[in-house]
Amino acid sequence: MENVIRNRTERKKEETRRKIIAVAMELFNERGYARTTVDQVAEGADVAKGTIFNHFPSKEAIVAEYVRRNARETGAEAVNLLKELPDTRSRLTALLQRSLEWFDKNLNRDVLKVYIVYMLQRSLETVKNRGMRSGFNNILEPIVRMGQEAGEIRPDISAEELSNHLEWISASVMILWLAYPEKPLSDIIEREVDLFLNGAFDRRVHEGCFCRVIDKEQTAFFTKKNGHRHNKT
Amino acid sequence: MENVIRNRTERKKEETRRKIIAVAMELFNERGYARTTVDQVAEGADVAKGTIFNHFPSKEAIVAEYVRRNARETGAEAVNLLKELPDTRSRLTALLQRSLEWFDKNLNRDVLKVYIVYMLQRSLETVKNRGMRSGFNNILEPIVRMGQEAGEIRPDISAEELSNHLEWISASVMILWLAYPEKPLSDIIEREVDLFLNGAFDRRVHEGCFCRVIDKEQTAFFTKKNGHRHNKT
DNA sequence: TGCTAAAATGAACTAAGTCCAATTATTAAC
DNA sequence: GTTAATAATTGGACTTAGTTCATTTTAGCA
């Protein structure tokens, strides 16, 4: 209903949006975000400046929409791929790896920074508003939910809140990655994912009774057997 | 050496900075951030607009400096107070509680949002540069270090990285707090601190061997909350 | 064909932030 | 006390993001 482009009006509208995004992204990646003016984009896309702000609330929003569109395209496929993976740790690691590689390929550093800041800013306005979430959050939440259903992730915090928390951790990963380009990306990701899953407490003394990487089946078994103290409604 | 104001030049400079901050904060809190123009601040402080941008890189930076100055004043005292507390959990909880209460008392909501976004933005530029960190990070790092020295916090990740991670979690707390003003602040803080310390793995089956992790109150808190949040549609 | 509604336009406007040459105040040297 | 060097301030012109709105263009529909 919404995804189908109904008639010529819609098609034309979509076409201008598409062109604005295409021209803008090319200019941003080529000359840099700051050195590209909205007027230049307007000229390149052959529309009035007003038209651009008709479609996008701000210059940064063009970048965000570019990313969002790509996430839409590949999002469903990504969720399916993630389902194949054995546990939450591997799913999160894979998702972050995949996403950051995409960013690396498609956005300049300074454009990426703009994107990150804009998304954080928007999350300030939209934590409550589920419809307006970033594409990222839409993938994080299913992952958390899967983990909870498998008994791997604690059920006392809702998937919504956990994925929100995860979104911030993802931002942290991106920023570390930008700040330390010489460090292998996989190291940063593994570390932050581990911190998310295991927390900051020192667990070495307990290693005997608690293995970091939980065997999924076993946990599921335990949870099913005697894990109903916090009666879930 | 640096903190001492040497001569009249320095004193005058400091005086204009002080006046700009004072006038700006009063106007921001009174009429709102967006509805206050830099020209109005300049007029109120009786300086040229250029002078303001001479002292502050941007409008938001005035807010940041206001917060930083206050953090400087009370920072050392805060660290001492935190040393008195028994463990990392109580220190983090106290710090967040204290900070957010200060924000609540001293900044309008919209001014606070501006501050948060600006700090996140800056952290993009300054993760590496320890000298330019936010006042917050300067308190978080000692807390983590204390925890590591006490064998409470895992030593395999550096205090620097952990406190960086914590800074993002703090941002998450602030945003949740802004988004859900009806929820008790302490609930939000406790939850996020717990998530930081214990991680997202489900540990219920292992409770027997994690005496320091979960106490009765905490469990009660989770159970109580659980019923509330999950039922909501 | 003509009517309606959506989209695009252009132009004037506001406000943040930059730039820079001229001016003023402060310090230090003689 | 005069003066040269230095640092802070000023004002004004400029750029750019973003707003506003009246007008025009375009497509849909009957």
Side-chain angles (χ1 to χ4, degrees), chain A residues 13-144:
Chain A
K13 195 178 166 186
E14 167 56 23
E15 177 55 22
T16 50
R17 285 175 80 84
R18 199 201 53 72
K19 191 155 192 197
I20 291 167
I21 296 170
V23 170
M25 289 311 297
E26 197 175 324
L27 290 175
F28 291 166
N29 280 326
E30 194 183 302
R31 336 183 164 179
Y33 180 81
R35 272 180 305 284
T36 307
T37 72
V38 176
D39 285 289
Q40 287 168 345
V41 175
E43 202 192 320
D46 195 27
V47 294
K49 189 171 80 158
T51 304
I52 292 185
F53 288 106
N54 228 344
H55 286 278
F56 306 95
S58 65
K59 194 181 165 190
E60 307 103 75
I62 304 175
V63 180
E65 177 65 12
Y66 171 71
V67 175
R68 204 188 60 82
R69 284 181 174 217
N70 201 285
R72 275 272 166 93
E73 278 173 32
T74 59
E77 179 210 345
V79 174
N80 281 335
L81 278 175
L82 293 172
K83 269 182 194 152
E84 304 296 313
L85 294 171
D87 54 19
T88 305
R89 181 189 297 270
S90 55
R91 287 183 203 117
L92 288 177
T93 308
L95 174 63
L96 285 171
Q97 189 86 35
R98 200 187 138 109
S99 305
L100 295 211
E101 272 165 8
W102 185 87
F103 282 132
D104 200 27
K105 223 176 277 171
N106 293 280
L107 300 187
N108 257 3
R109 296 249 137 160
D110 72 326
V111 184
L112 179 51
K113 285 186 187 177
V114 165
Y115 172 72
I116 295 173
V117 171
Y118 182 68
M119 288 322 294
L120 296 177
Q121 200 167 352
R122 271 195 24 137
S123 93
L124 247 167
E125 314 294 336
T126 58
V127 217
K128 266 180 152 168
N129 193 341
R130 314 188 78 237
M132 290 185 72
R133 292 265 184 77
S134 77
F136 214 57
N137 206 309
N138 288 335
I139 307 182
L140 289 174
E141 200 171 317
I143 293 181
V144 172

Side-chain angles (χ1 to χ4, degrees), chain A residues 154 161 192 194 210 227, chain B residues 154 165 194 203-204 229:
Chain A
R154 55 199 282 186
E161 276 178 89
E192 291 282 319
D194 186 73
F210 184 82
Chain B
R154 57 198 281 186
H165 185 93
D194 186 76
R203 301 187 190 284
R204 287 173 307 162
R229 270 196 211 195

Side-chain angles (χ1 to χ4, degrees), chain A residues 89 113 116-117 120-121 123-125 127-128 151-158 160-162 164-165 168-169 171-172 175-176 178-183 191-192 194-206 209-210 212 214 222-223 226-227 229-233, chain B residues 89 113 116-117 120-121 123-125 127-128 151-158 160-162 164-165 168-169 171-172 175-176 178-183 191-192 194-207 209-210 212-213 219 222-223 226-227 229-231:
Chain A
R89 181 189 297 270
K113 285 186 187 177
I116 295 173
V117 171
L120 296 177
Q121 200 167 352
S123 93
L124 247 167
E125 314 294 336
V127 217
K128 266 180 152 168
E152 201 188 353
I153 298 296
R154 55 199 282 186
D156 59 309
I157 303 185
S158 73
E160 192 184 337
E161 276 178 89
L162 281 170
N164 207 60
H165 184 92
W168 288 94
I169 290 179
S172 174
I175 292 194
L176 285 171
L178 283 170
Y180 300 95
E182 74 279 5
K183 283 199 185 170
R191 187 167 284 224
E192 291 282 319
D194 186 73
L195 199 44
F196 168 69
L197 294 171
N198 278 317
F201 271 137
D202 186 356
R203 299 187 190 283
R204 286 174 309 165
V205 272
H206 304 287
C209 64
F210 184 82
R212 280 261 162 85
I214 292 182
F222 275 122
T223 318
N226 53 6
R229 282 203 261 113
H230 315 280
N231 40 351
K232 205 179 163 192
T233 41
Chain B
R89 182 190 295 271
K113 283 188 188 177
I116 295 173
V117 171
L120 295 177
Q121 201 166 350
S123 93
L124 249 166
E125 313 295 337
V127 218
K128 265 180 153 171
E152 202 187 353
I153 298 296
R154 57 198 281 186
D156 60 316
I157 303 184
S158 73
E160 192 184 337
E161 274 178 272
L162 281 170
N164 207 58
H165 185 93
W168 288 93
I169 290 180
S172 174
I175 292 193
L176 285 171
L178 282 170
Y180 301 95
E182 74 280 5
K183 287 206 180 162
R191 189 168 282 226
E192 290 282 320
D194 186 76
L195 199 45
F196 168 69
L197 294 171
N198 277 318
F201 272 140
D202 186 356
R203 301 187 190 284
R204 287 173 307 162
V205 277
H206 304 286
E207 237 170 70
C209 50
F210 278 114
R212 38 176 142 128
V213 173
T219 318
F222 283 138
T223 321
N226 203 19
R229 270 196 211 195
H230 278 296
N231 288 346

